[in-house]
Amino acid sequence: MTTLKSKLKEDLTAAIRARDELRSSTLRLTLSAITKEEVSGKTARELSDDEVQKVIAKEAKKRREAADAFAQGGRAEQAEREKAEGVLLDAYLPKQLSDDELAQIVSQAVDEAKAAGAEGPRAMGAVMKIVNPKVAGRAEGGRVAAAVKQLLAG
């Protein structure tokens, strides 16, 4: 079992003992998403820590989107719960890049792509190929794409 998955299980056990309903239900859902990912496909396999992190990031993103949807629908109580679950899951993810750090990485990637001959808005794919491995798990794809578009356009 990976270290991150075992940490989630230990935290679930502690949350159940402490009767922390929010934490225990969030961790249960996350662990079931991890298990679902492990058994999907042709053969069952154990996920690496990086893959577990991706599943946690996906779950955290779902919580943020659900919180926005509930807030727009006028269900503030449910929106708060979703936000709290998202914050809880963020604790298991690496620290997110600040806007300045992301801009610096993107500008270096744009320079690399220009040196390789990619110019203008058509260079988006080339730049994203350079940026994605550097920011993996530390910035959402939408944020990265927006930063790349902004630098390429301006």
Side-chain angles (χ1 to χ4, degrees):
M1 188 180 315
T2 61
T3 55
L4 187 54
K5 186 176 175 185
S6 60
K7 170 118 174 78
L8 286 169
K9 286 188 176 192
E10 289 168 12
D11 290 352
L12 173 61
T13 304
I16 291 170
R17 285 191 179 135
R19 299 188 193 282
D20 185 346
E21 193 275 329
L22 175 73
R23 181 176 287 274
S24 63
S25 67
T26 303
L27 292 176
R28 272 191 182 112
L29 286 170
T30 305
L31 283 166
S32 70
I34 291 168
T35 303
K36 181 180 175 190
E37 189 69 28
E38 287 177 335
V39 298
S40 68
K42 294 182 191 278
T43 59
R45 63 190 174 87
E46 189 166 330
L47 299 180
S48 68
D49 271 348
D50 288 340
E51 292 169 318
V52 170
Q53 235 172 27
K54 286 179 186 173
V55 172
I56 294 171
K58 194 185 322 177
E59 291 295 310
K61 184 178 179 186
K62 281 183 195 176
R63 299 308 190 288
R64 285 191 296 276
E65 290 171 353
D68 292 342
F70 281 126
Q72 289 173 357
R75 297 183 58 193
E77 188 177 306
Q78 192 67 29
E80 286 302 314
R81 180 176 172 91
E82 293 291 334
K83 280 183 188 172
E85 288 180 5
V87 168
L88 201 148
L89 290 175
D90 285 341
Y92 294 97
L93 297 172
K95 184 179 172 290
Q96 296 292 299
L97 292 172
S98 70
D99 290 337
D100 294 336
E101 293 169 324
L102 181 61
Q104 184 179 3
I105 291 171
V106 169
S107 67
Q108 289 172 353
V110 168
D111 293 342
E112 283 180 44
K114 283 183 180 176
E119 282 290 329
R122 286 189 223 138
M124 179 88 176
V127 174
M128 290 298 284
K129 281 182 185 174
I130 298 169
V131 172
N132 278 337
K134 293 180 182 177
V135 300
R138 299 185 304 152
E140 267 186 26
R143 236 180 101 206
V144 175
V148 170
K149 280 181 187 172
Q150 183 181 8
L151 265 176
L152 289 176

